[in-house]
């Protein structure tokens, strides 16, 4: 067991040589900061999207024709509602409107709680409209006519990841904007009370309508995770490359520093320090450096993402044409933070200790004489 005086001596020596450790401390903190920020953003966006999917009914049905989305009518609602296990089917109006003046696409969503001449818009939509002075009313230009709708409400900021590019309209107004007939739907929301029957009902829907695409909650959640794992994986590859480059630089720097401090190690050996003590001394010093750099990087990442909403970096994940001022929900995956610690701090210590060990086992007599 290490003696208290030995640990205090190691810490004092660390502060005496703090300039030698500053480079590795700053670079390692920065690498941990970047990776932690990416993981925080990815986890937060995944969490919000998955929560929104869980709020939807068990199955979402979309129709396709020639590989493109195609409308459904009341016949689909009737047939699917007769499947055993289905408690309800709701037709939904959903589509995209091209805002030609800004070359943007707005997501149109039918909302029965709104009247025909009012709409609720997301914050990104509000900013885009306000730039062309659509502050109280907006004109939807369709192939047949112009539809004027009052801008009644702005969606809350907390729903921004879902509503940022969305315009909520009365379903009949939404149909007029999207060029749909009054009895047509874009999607069907199917409710299945028993979770064990969802898979069977999904297969039955596709069996009745082979051109339809039935997506269960589990499939939708899997698709979201796949997208964010893919983007997170790209950053993980870049992280590994940066980390390996850093460790090579660190090894060269440590070898150089320890080469200059060979006399110091030789004096410690002559005072009675064995090789194990020299290794323990360097292990204590560099554990303090690596762990404090790791904690600093994670803390800065948390502040950057959840206090300042990750400016610039979040746009890589959102990929939206509209400006998105979302509030990221604080979500911290401790397992991932442990993995960063394991694959960051442990190699860090290994790359530092090995040069010290090589010097400690070499012949110290020449170093003492010099």
């Amino acid at each position: 067991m290490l003696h208290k005086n030995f640990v205090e001596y190691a810490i004092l020596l660390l502060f005496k040589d703090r300039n030698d450790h500053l480079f590795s401390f700053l670079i390692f903190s920065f690498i941990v900061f970047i990776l932690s920020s990416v993981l925080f953003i990815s986890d937060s966006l995944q969490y919000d999207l998955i929560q929104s999917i869980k709020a939807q009914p068990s199955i979402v049905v979309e129709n396709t024709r020639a590989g493109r989305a195609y409308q459904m009518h009341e016949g689909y609602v009737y047939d699917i509602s007769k499947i055993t296990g289905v408690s309800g089917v709701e037709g939904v109006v959903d589509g995209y409107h091209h805002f030609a003046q800004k070359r943007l696409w707005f997501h149109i969503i039918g909302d029965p709680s709104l009247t025909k001449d009012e709409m609720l818009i997301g914050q990104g939509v509000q900013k885009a409209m306000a730039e062309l002075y659509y502050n109280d009313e907006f004109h939807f230009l369709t192939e047949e006519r112009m539809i004027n709708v009052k801008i009644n409400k702005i969606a809350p900021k907390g729903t921004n990841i879902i509503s940022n590019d969305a315009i909520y309209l009365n379903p009949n107004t939404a149909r007029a904007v999207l060029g749909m007939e009054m009895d047509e739907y874009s999607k069907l929301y199917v409710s299945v009370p028993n979770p064990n029957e969802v898979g069977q009902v999904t297969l039955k829907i596709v069996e009745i309508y082979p051109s339809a695409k039935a997506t269960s909650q589990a499939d939708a959640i899997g698709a979201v995770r796949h997208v964010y794992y893919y983007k997170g994986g790209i950053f993980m590859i870049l992280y590994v490359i940066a980390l390996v480059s850093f460790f090579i630089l660190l090894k060269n720097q440590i070898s150089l520093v320890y080469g200059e401090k060979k006399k110091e190690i030789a004096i410690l050996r002559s005072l009675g320090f064995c090789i194990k003590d020299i290794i323990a001394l360097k292990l204590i010093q560099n554990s303090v450096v690596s762990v404090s750099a790791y904690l600093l990087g994670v803390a800065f990442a948390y502040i950057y993402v959840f206090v300042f909403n990750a400016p610039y970096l979040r746009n890589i994940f959102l990929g939206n044409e509209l400006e998105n001022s979302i509030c990221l929900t604080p979500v911290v995956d401790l397992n991932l933070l442990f993995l960063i610690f394991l694959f960051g701090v442990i190699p860090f210590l290994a790359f530092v200790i090995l040069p010290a060990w090589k010097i400690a086992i070499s012949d110290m007599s020449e170093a003492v004489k010099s």
Side-chain angles (χ1 to χ4, degrees), residues 260-281:
E260 293 173 354
K261 291 185 175 299
K262 191 172 182 179
K263 185 176 180 181
E264 182 181 300
I265 294 173
I267 292 171
L268 291 174
R269 291 285 307 277
S270 65
L271 290 174
F273 280 62
C274 61
I275 294 175
K276 187 176 69 175
D277 294 333
I278 300 291
I279 299 299
L281 191 71

mmCIF file with all atom_site columns, all heavy atoms in Angstrom, residues 260-281:
data_model
loop_
_atom_site.group_PDB
_atom_site.id
_atom_site.type_symbol
_atom_site.label_atom_id
_atom_site.label_alt_id
_atom_site.label_comp_id
_atom_site.label_asym_id
_atom_site.label_entity_id
_atom_site.label_seq_id
_atom_site.pdbx_PDB_ins_code
_atom_site.Cartn_x
_atom_site.Cartn_y
_atom_site.Cartn_z
_atom_site.occupancy
_atom_site.B_iso_or_equiv
_atom_site.pdbx_formal_charge
_atom_site.auth_seq_id
_atom_site.auth_comp_id
_atom_site.auth_asym_id
_atom_site.auth_atom_id
_atom_site.pdbx_PDB_model_num
ATOM 1   N N   . GLU A 1 260 ? 15.338 13.889 -20.600 1.00 0.00 ? 260 GLU A N   1
ATOM 2   C CA  . GLU A 1 260 ? 15.951 15.022 -19.907 1.00 0.00 ? 260 GLU A CA  1
ATOM 3   C C   . GLU A 1 260 ? 15.942 14.816 -18.390 1.00 0.00 ? 260 GLU A C   1
ATOM 4   O O   . GLU A 1 260 ? 16.770 15.373 -17.679 1.00 0.00 ? 260 GLU A O   1
ATOM 5   C CB  . GLU A 1 260 ? 15.180 16.304 -20.256 1.00 0.00 ? 260 GLU A CB  1
ATOM 6   C CG  . GLU A 1 260 ? 15.314 16.700 -21.728 1.00 0.00 ? 260 GLU A CG  1
ATOM 7   C CD  . GLU A 1 260 ? 14.411 17.860 -22.088 1.00 0.00 ? 260 GLU A CD  1
ATOM 8   O OE1 . GLU A 1 260 ? 13.611 18.262 -21.223 1.00 0.00 ? 260 GLU A OE1 1
ATOM 9   O OE2 . GLU A 1 260 ? 14.515 18.356 -23.223 1.00 0.00 ? 260 GLU A OE2 1
ATOM 10  N N   . LYS A 1 261 ? 14.989 14.025 -17.905 1.00 0.00 ? 261 LYS A N   1
ATOM 11  C CA  . LYS A 1 261 ? 14.863 13.809 -16.457 1.00 0.00 ? 261 LYS A CA  1
ATOM 12  C C   . LYS A 1 261 ? 15.501 12.493 -16.016 1.00 0.00 ? 261 LYS A C   1
ATOM 13  O O   . LYS A 1 261 ? 15.203 11.994 -14.937 1.00 0.00 ? 261 LYS A O   1
ATOM 14  C CB  . LYS A 1 261 ? 13.391 13.840 -16.050 1.00 0.00 ? 261 LYS A CB  1
ATOM 15  C CG  . LYS A 1 261 ? 12.775 15.231 -16.177 1.00 0.00 ? 261 LYS A CG  1
ATOM 16  C CD  . LYS A 1 261 ? 11.376 15.247 -15.649 1.00 0.00 ? 261 LYS A CD  1
ATOM 17  C CE  . LYS A 1 261 ? 10.831 16.665 -15.663 1.00 0.00 ? 261 LYS A CE  1
ATOM 18  N NZ  . LYS A 1 261 ? 11.584 17.579 -14.835 1.00 0.00 ? 261 LYS A NZ  1
ATOM 19  N N   . LYS A 1 262 ? 16.341 11.957 -16.862 1.00 0.00 ? 262 LYS A N   1
ATOM 20  C CA  . LYS A 1 262 ? 16.982 10.688 -16.517 1.00 0.00 ? 262 LYS A CA  1
ATOM 21  C C   . LYS A 1 262 ? 17.817 10.821 -15.249 1.00 0.00 ? 262 LYS A C   1
ATOM 22  O O   . LYS A 1 262 ? 17.859 9.917  -14.402 1.00 0.00 ? 262 LYS A O   1
ATOM 23  C CB  . LYS A 1 262 ? 17.861 10.227 -17.682 1.00 0.00 ? 262 LYS A CB  1
ATOM 24  C CG  . LYS A 1 262 ? 18.363 8.815  -17.536 1.00 0.00 ? 262 LYS A CG  1
ATOM 25  C CD  . LYS A 1 262 ? 19.059 8.370  -18.800 1.00 0.00 ? 262 LYS A CD  1
ATOM 26  C CE  . LYS A 1 262 ? 19.529 6.922  -18.647 1.00 0.00 ? 262 LYS A CE  1
ATOM 27  N NZ  . LYS A 1 262 ? 20.197 6.453  -19.874 1.00 0.00 ? 262 LYS A NZ  1
ATOM 28  N N   . LYS A 1 263 ? 18.459 11.998 -15.106 1.00 0.00 ? 263 LYS A N   1
ATOM 29  C CA  . LYS A 1 263 ? 19.287 12.215 -13.925 1.00 0.00 ? 263 LYS A CA  1
ATOM 30  C C   . LYS A 1 263 ? 18.428 12.228 -12.662 1.00 0.00 ? 263 LYS A C   1
ATOM 31  O O   . LYS A 1 263 ? 18.836 11.709 -11.610 1.00 0.00 ? 263 LYS A O   1
ATOM 32  C CB  . LYS A 1 263 ? 20.051 13.533 -14.053 1.00 0.00 ? 263 LYS A CB  1
ATOM 33  C CG  . LYS A 1 263 ? 21.032 13.769 -12.920 1.00 0.00 ? 263 LYS A CG  1
ATOM 34  C CD  . LYS A 1 263 ? 21.823 15.041 -13.144 1.00 0.00 ? 263 LYS A CD  1
ATOM 35  C CE  . LYS A 1 263 ? 22.808 15.255 -11.977 1.00 0.00 ? 263 LYS A CE  1
ATOM 36  N NZ  . LYS A 1 263 ? 23.580 16.501 -12.161 1.00 0.00 ? 263 LYS A NZ  1
ATOM 37  N N   . GLU A 1 264 ? 17.232 12.825 -12.772 1.00 0.00 ? 264 GLU A N   1
ATOM 38  C CA  . GLU A 1 264 ? 16.321 12.876 -11.625 1.00 0.00 ? 264 GLU A CA  1
ATOM 39  C C   . GLU A 1 264 ? 15.910 11.460 -11.200 1.00 0.00 ? 264 GLU A C   1
ATOM 40  O O   . GLU A 1 264 ? 15.869 11.140 -9.996  1.00 0.00 ? 264 GLU A O   1
ATOM 41  C CB  . GLU A 1 264 ? 15.084 13.692 -11.990 1.00 0.00 ? 264 GLU A CB  1
ATOM 42  C CG  . GLU A 1 264 ? 14.084 13.858 -10.881 1.00 0.00 ? 264 GLU A CG  1
ATOM 43  C CD  . GLU A 1 264 ? 12.878 14.663 -11.313 1.00 0.00 ? 264 GLU A CD  1
ATOM 44  O OE1 . GLU A 1 264 ? 13.060 15.827 -11.702 1.00 0.00 ? 264 GLU A OE1 1
ATOM 45  O OE2 . GLU A 1 264 ? 11.768 14.107 -11.284 1.00 0.00 ? 264 GLU A OE2 1
ATOM 46  N N   . ILE A 1 265 ? 15.599 10.622 -12.193 1.00 0.00 ? 265 ILE A N   1
ATOM 47  C CA  . ILE A 1 265 ? 15.234 9.235  -11.883 1.00 0.00 ? 265 ILE A CA  1
ATOM 48  C C   . ILE A 1 265 ? 16.421 8.498  -11.276 1.00 0.00 ? 265 ILE A C   1
ATOM 49  O O   . ILE A 1 265 ? 16.273 7.704  -10.326 1.00 0.00 ? 265 ILE A O   1
ATOM 50  C CB  . ILE A 1 265 ? 14.739 8.524  -13.155 1.00 0.00 ? 265 ILE A CB  1
ATOM 51  C CG1 . ILE A 1 265 ? 13.436 9.163  -13.628 1.00 0.00 ? 265 ILE A CG1 1
ATOM 52  C CG2 . ILE A 1 265 ? 14.524 7.030  -12.921 1.00 0.00 ? 265 ILE A CG2 1
ATOM 53  C CD1 . ILE A 1 265 ? 12.930 8.661  -14.962 1.00 0.00 ? 265 ILE A CD1 1
ATOM 54  N N   . ALA A 1 266 ? 17.627 8.776  -11.792 1.00 0.00 ? 266 ALA A N   1
ATOM 55  C CA  . ALA A 1 266 ? 18.828 8.123  -11.259 1.00 0.00 ? 266 ALA A CA  1
ATOM 56  C C   . ALA A 1 266 ? 19.057 8.510  -9.800  1.00 0.00 ? 266 ALA A C   1
ATOM 57  O O   . ALA A 1 266 ? 19.432 7.669  -8.965  1.00 0.00 ? 266 ALA A O   1
ATOM 58  C CB  . ALA A 1 266 ? 20.030 8.514  -12.112 1.00 0.00 ? 266 ALA A CB  1
ATOM 59  N N   . ILE A 1 267 ? 18.811 9.780  -9.470  1.00 0.00 ? 267 ILE A N   1
ATOM 60  C CA  . ILE A 1 267 ? 18.978 10.230 -8.076  1.00 0.00 ? 267 ILE A CA  1
ATOM 61  C C   . ILE A 1 267 ? 17.973 9.537  -7.167  1.00 0.00 ? 267 ILE A C   1
ATOM 62  O O   . ILE A 1 267 ? 18.306 9.101  -6.051  1.00 0.00 ? 267 ILE A O   1
ATOM 63  C CB  . ILE A 1 267 ? 18.823 11.770 -7.995  1.00 0.00 ? 267 ILE A CB  1
ATOM 64  C CG1 . ILE A 1 267 ? 20.007 12.444 -8.709  1.00 0.00 ? 267 ILE A CG1 1
ATOM 65  C CG2 . ILE A 1 267 ? 18.743 12.242 -6.552  1.00 0.00 ? 267 ILE A CG2 1
ATOM 66  C CD1 . ILE A 1 267 ? 19.857 13.929 -8.880  1.00 0.00 ? 267 ILE A CD1 1
ATOM 67  N N   . LEU A 1 268 ? 16.728 9.408  -7.641  1.00 0.00 ? 268 LEU A N   1
ATOM 68  C CA  . LEU A 1 268 ? 15.718 8.706  -6.842  1.00 0.00 ? 268 LEU A CA  1
ATOM 69  C C   . LEU A 1 268 ? 16.129 7.262  -6.605  1.00 0.00 ? 268 LEU A C   1
ATOM 70  O O   . LEU A 1 268 ? 15.968 6.729  -5.503  1.00 0.00 ? 268 LEU A O   1
ATOM 71  C CB  . LEU A 1 268 ? 14.360 8.767  -7.558  1.00 0.00 ? 268 LEU A CB  1
ATOM 72  C CG  . LEU A 1 268 ? 13.685 10.135 -7.627  1.00 0.00 ? 268 LEU A CG  1
ATOM 73  C CD1 . LEU A 1 268 ? 12.421 10.077 -8.478  1.00 0.00 ? 268 LEU A CD1 1
ATOM 74  C CD2 . LEU A 1 268 ? 13.349 10.638 -6.224  1.00 0.00 ? 268 LEU A CD2 1
ATOM 75  N N   . ARG A 1 269 ? 16.678 6.627  -7.660  1.00 0.00 ? 269 ARG A N   1
ATOM 76  C CA  . ARG A 1 269 ? 17.140 5.234  -7.492  1.00 0.00 ? 269 ARG A CA  1
ATOM 77  C C   . ARG A 1 269 ? 18.269 5.156  -6.453  1.00 0.00 ? 269 ARG A C   1
ATOM 78  O O   . ARG A 1 269 ? 18.325 4.240  -5.630  1.00 0.00 ? 269 ARG A O   1
ATOM 79  C CB  . ARG A 1 269 ? 17.650 4.688  -8.836  1.00 0.00 ? 269 ARG A CB  1
ATOM 80  C CG  . ARG A 1 269 ? 16.572 4.465  -9.895  1.00 0.00 ? 269 ARG A CG  1
ATOM 81  C CD  . ARG A 1 269 ? 15.749 3.219  -9.606  1.00 0.00 ? 269 ARG A CD  1
ATOM 82  N NE  . ARG A 1 269 ? 16.574 2.047  -9.408  1.00 0.00 ? 269 ARG A NE  1
ATOM 83  C CZ  . ARG A 1 269 ? 17.060 1.290  -10.396 1.00 0.00 ? 269 ARG A CZ  1
ATOM 84  N NH1 . ARG A 1 269 ? 16.753 1.607  -11.649 1.00 0.00 ? 269 ARG A NH1 1
ATOM 85  N NH2 . ARG A 1 269 ? 17.797 0.246  -10.125 1.00 0.00 ? 269 ARG A NH2 1
ATOM 86  N N   . SER A 1 270 ? 19.193 6.162  -6.498  1.00 0.00 ? 270 SER A N   1
ATOM 87  C CA  . SER A 1 270 ? 20.312 6.147  -5.557  1.00 0.00 ? 270 SER A CA  1
ATOM 88  C C   . SER A 1 270 ? 19.843 6.408  -4.125  1.00 0.00 ? 270 SER A C   1
ATOM 89  O O   . SER A 1 270 ? 20.503 6.031  -3.156  1.00 0.00 ? 270 SER A O   1
ATOM 90  C CB  . SER A 1 270 ? 21.358 7.195  -5.965  1.00 0.00 ? 270 SER A CB  1
ATOM 91  O OG  . SER A 1 270 ? 20.814 8.496  -5.849  1.00 0.00 ? 270 SER A OG  1
ATOM 92  N N   . LEU A 1 271 ? 18.677 7.081  -3.966  1.00 0.00 ? 271 LEU A N   1
ATOM 93  C CA  . LEU A 1 271 ? 18.117 7.349  -2.637  1.00 0.00 ? 271 LEU A CA  1
ATOM 94  C C   . LEU A 1 271 ? 17.348 6.151  -2.079  1.00 0.00 ? 271 LEU A C   1
ATOM 95  O O   . LEU A 1 271 ? 16.873 6.195  -0.954  1.00 0.00 ? 271 LEU A O   1
ATOM 96  C CB  . LEU A 1 271 ? 17.172 8.559  -2.695  1.00 0.00 ? 271 LEU A CB  1
ATOM 97  C CG  . LEU A 1 271 ? 17.846 9.921  -2.923  1.00 0.00 ? 271 LEU A CG  1
ATOM 98  C CD1 . LEU A 1 271 ? 16.791 11.007 -3.117  1.00 0.00 ? 271 LEU A CD1 1
ATOM 99  C CD2 . LEU A 1 271 ? 18.772 10.273 -1.752  1.00 0.00 ? 271 LEU A CD2 1
ATOM 100 N N   . GLY A 1 272 ? 17.197 5.119  -2.898  1.00 0.00 ? 272 GLY A N   1
ATOM 101 C CA  . GLY A 1 272 ? 16.529 3.911  -2.411  1.00 0.00 ? 272 GLY A CA  1
ATOM 102 C C   . GLY A 1 272 ? 15.218 3.599  -3.092  1.00 0.00 ? 272 GLY A C   1
ATOM 103 O O   . GLY A 1 272 ? 14.553 2.623  -2.735  1.00 0.00 ? 272 GLY A O   1
ATOM 104 N N   . PHE A 1 273 ? 14.809 4.417  -4.053  1.00 0.00 ? 273 PHE A N   1
ATOM 105 C CA  . PHE A 1 273 ? 13.573 4.128  -4.798  1.00 0.00 ? 273 PHE A CA  1
ATOM 106 C C   . PHE A 1 273 ? 13.826 2.933  -5.722  1.00 0.00 ? 273 PHE A C   1
ATOM 107 O O   . PHE A 1 273 ? 14.808 2.944  -6.493  1.00 0.00 ? 273 PHE A O   1
ATOM 108 C CB  . PHE A 1 273 ? 13.165 5.333  -5.655  1.00 0.00 ? 273 PHE A CB  1
ATOM 109 C CG  . PHE A 1 273 ? 12.459 6.416  -4.882  1.00 0.00 ? 273 PHE A CG  1
ATOM 110 C CD1 . PHE A 1 273 ? 13.097 7.089  -3.846  1.00 0.00 ? 273 PHE A CD1 1
ATOM 111 C CD2 . PHE A 1 273 ? 11.147 6.761  -5.191  1.00 0.00 ? 273 PHE A CD2 1
ATOM 112 C CE1 . PHE A 1 273 ? 12.452 8.080  -3.140  1.00 0.00 ? 273 PHE A CE1 1
ATOM 113 C CE2 . PHE A 1 273 ? 10.497 7.760  -4.479  1.00 0.00 ? 273 PHE A CE2 1
ATOM 114 C CZ  . PHE A 1 273 ? 11.148 8.418  -3.450  1.00 0.00 ? 273 PHE A CZ  1
ATOM 115 N N   . CYS A 1 274 ? 12.991 1.917  -5.641  1.00 0.00 ? 274 CYS A N   1
ATOM 116 C CA  . CYS A 1 274 ? 13.121 0.796  -6.568  1.00 0.00 ? 274 CYS A CA  1
ATOM 117 C C   . CYS A 1 274 ? 12.327 1.101  -7.843  1.00 0.00 ? 274 CYS A C   1
ATOM 118 O O   . CYS A 1 274 ? 11.625 2.122  -7.932  1.00 0.00 ? 274 CYS A O   1
ATOM 119 C CB  . CYS A 1 274 ? 12.637 -0.492 -5.908  1.00 0.00 ? 274 CYS A CB  1
ATOM 120 S SG  . CYS A 1 274 ? 10.914 -0.442 -5.429  1.00 0.00 ? 274 CYS A SG  1
ATOM 121 N N   . ILE A 1 275 ? 12.424 0.188  -8.837  1.00 0.00 ? 275 ILE A N   1
ATOM 122 C CA  . ILE A 1 275 ? 11.727 0.417  -10.119 1.00 0.00 ? 275 ILE A CA  1
ATOM 123 C C   . ILE A 1 275 ? 10.217 0.534  -9.886  1.00 0.00 ? 275 ILE A C   1
ATOM 124 O O   . ILE A 1 275 ? 9.540  1.370  -10.483 1.00 0.00 ? 275 ILE A O   1
ATOM 125 C CB  . ILE A 1 275 ? 12.040 -0.740 -11.091 1.00 0.00 ? 275 ILE A CB  1
ATOM 126 C CG1 . ILE A 1 275 ? 13.522 -0.723 -11.453 1.00 0.00 ? 275 ILE A CG1 1
ATOM 127 C CG2 . ILE A 1 275 ? 11.189 -0.635 -12.354 1.00 0.00 ? 275 ILE A CG2 1
ATOM 128 C CD1 . ILE A 1 275 ? 13.980 -1.880 -12.296 1.00 0.00 ? 275 ILE A CD1 1
ATOM 129 N N   . LYS A 1 276 ? 9.705  -0.306 -8.977  1.00 0.00 ? 276 LYS A N   1
ATOM 130 C CA  . LYS A 1 276 ? 8.268  -0.264 -8.688  1.00 0.00 ? 276 LYS A CA  1
ATOM 131 C C   . LYS A 1 276 ? 7.857  1.102  -8.135  1.00 0.00 ? 276 LYS A C   1
ATOM 132 O O   . LYS A 1 276 ? 6.791  1.632  -8.482  1.00 0.00 ? 276 LYS A O   1
ATOM 133 C CB  . LYS A 1 276 ? 7.942  -1.365 -7.666  1.00 0.00 ? 276 LYS A CB  1
ATOM 134 C CG  . LYS A 1 276 ? 6.460  -1.540 -7.414  1.00 0.00 ? 276 LYS A CG  1
ATOM 135 C CD  . LYS A 1 276 ? 6.190  -2.696 -6.470  1.00 0.00 ? 276 LYS A CD  1
ATOM 136 C CE  . LYS A 1 276 ? 6.678  -2.344 -5.067  1.00 0.00 ? 276 LYS A CE  1
ATOM 137 N NZ  . LYS A 1 276 ? 6.320  -3.390 -4.081  1.00 0.00 ? 276 LYS A NZ  1
ATOM 138 N N   . ASP A 1 277 ? 8.742  1.729  -7.312  1.00 0.00 ? 277 ASP A N   1
ATOM 139 C CA  . ASP A 1 277 ? 8.419  3.052  -6.763  1.00 0.00 ? 277 ASP A CA  1
ATOM 140 C C   . ASP A 1 277 ? 8.418  4.121  -7.854  1.00 0.00 ? 277 ASP A C   1
ATOM 141 O O   . ASP A 1 277 ? 7.579  5.041  -7.849  1.00 0.00 ? 277 ASP A O   1
ATOM 142 C CB  . ASP A 1 277 ? 9.430  3.419  -5.677  1.00 0.00 ? 277 ASP A CB  1
ATOM 143 C CG  . ASP A 1 277 ? 9.328  2.509  -4.472  1.00 0.00 ? 277 ASP A CG  1
ATOM 144 O OD1 . ASP A 1 277 ? 8.224  1.974  -4.240  1.00 0.00 ? 277 ASP A OD1 1
ATOM 145 O OD2 . ASP A 1 277 ? 10.348 2.311  -3.786  1.00 0.00 ? 277 ASP A OD2 1
ATOM 146 N N   . ILE A 1 278 ? 9.381  4.007  -8.780  1.00 0.00 ? 278 ILE A N   1
ATOM 147 C CA  . ILE A 1 278 ? 9.438  4.980  -9.884  1.00 0.00 ? 278 ILE A CA  1
ATOM 148 C C   . ILE A 1 278 ? 8.162  4.874  -10.726 1.00 0.00 ? 278 ILE A C   1
ATOM 149 O O   . ILE A 1 278 ? 7.547  5.894  -11.082 1.00 0.00 ? 278 ILE A O   1
ATOM 150 C CB  . ILE A 1 278 ? 10.677 4.715  -10.783 1.00 0.00 ? 278 ILE A CB  1
ATOM 151 C CG1 . ILE A 1 278 ? 11.974 4.822  -9.971  1.00 0.00 ? 278 ILE A CG1 1
ATOM 152 C CG2 . ILE A 1 278 ? 10.683 5.681  -11.958 1.00 0.00 ? 278 ILE A CG2 1
ATOM 153 C CD1 . ILE A 1 278 ? 12.314 6.207  -9.503  1.00 0.00 ? 278 ILE A CD1 1
ATOM 154 N N   . ILE A 1 279 ? 7.770  3.637  -11.041 1.00 0.00 ? 279 ILE A N   1
ATOM 155 C CA  . ILE A 1 279 ? 6.540  3.444  -11.833 1.00 0.00 ? 279 ILE A CA  1
ATOM 156 C C   . ILE A 1 279 ? 5.327  3.981  -11.074 1.00 0.00 ? 279 ILE A C   1
ATOM 157 O O   . ILE A 1 279 ? 4.463  4.648  -11.648 1.00 0.00 ? 279 ILE A O   1
ATOM 158 C CB  . ILE A 1 279 ? 6.342  1.943  -12.153 1.00 0.00 ? 279 ILE A CB  1
ATOM 159 C CG1 . ILE A 1 279 ? 7.519  1.411  -12.969 1.00 0.00 ? 279 ILE A CG1 1
ATOM 160 C CG2 . ILE A 1 279 ? 5.020  1.722  -12.894 1.00 0.00 ? 279 ILE A CG2 1
ATOM 161 C CD1 . ILE A 1 279 ? 7.724  2.075  -14.289 1.00 0.00 ? 279 ILE A CD1 1
ATOM 162 N N   . ALA A 1 280 ? 5.270  3.699  -9.760  1.00 0.00 ? 280 ALA A N   1
ATOM 163 C CA  . ALA A 1 280 ? 4.136  4.181  -8.959  1.00 0.00 ? 280 ALA A CA  1
ATOM 164 C C   . ALA A 1 280 ? 4.094  5.705  -8.924  1.00 0.00 ? 280 ALA A C   1
ATOM 165 O O   . ALA A 1 280 ? 3.017  6.316  -8.996  1.00 0.00 ? 280 ALA A O   1
ATOM 166 C CB  . ALA A 1 280 ? 4.245  3.618  -7.538  1.00 0.00 ? 280 ALA A CB  1
ATOM 167 N N   . LEU A 1 281 ? 5.285  6.320  -8.838  1.00 0.00 ? 281 LEU A N   1
ATOM 168 C CA  . LEU A 1 281 ? 5.367  7.788  -8.823  1.00 0.00 ? 281 LEU A CA  1
ATOM 169 C C   . LEU A 1 281 ? 4.780  8.381  -10.106 1.00 0.00 ? 281 LEU A C   1
ATOM 170 O O   . LEU A 1 281 ? 3.957  9.305  -10.076 1.00 0.00 ? 281 LEU A O   1
ATOM 171 C CB  . LEU A 1 281 ? 6.841  8.191  -8.661  1.00 0.00 ? 281 LEU A CB  1
ATOM 172 C CG  . LEU A 1 281 ? 7.133  9.652  -8.353  1.00 0.00 ? 281 LEU A CG  1
ATOM 173 C CD1 . LEU A 1 281 ? 6.703  10.004 -6.946  1.00 0.00 ? 281 LEU A CD1 1
ATOM 174 C CD2 . LEU A 1 281 ? 8.619  9.938  -8.542  1.00 0.00 ? 281 LEU A CD2 1
#
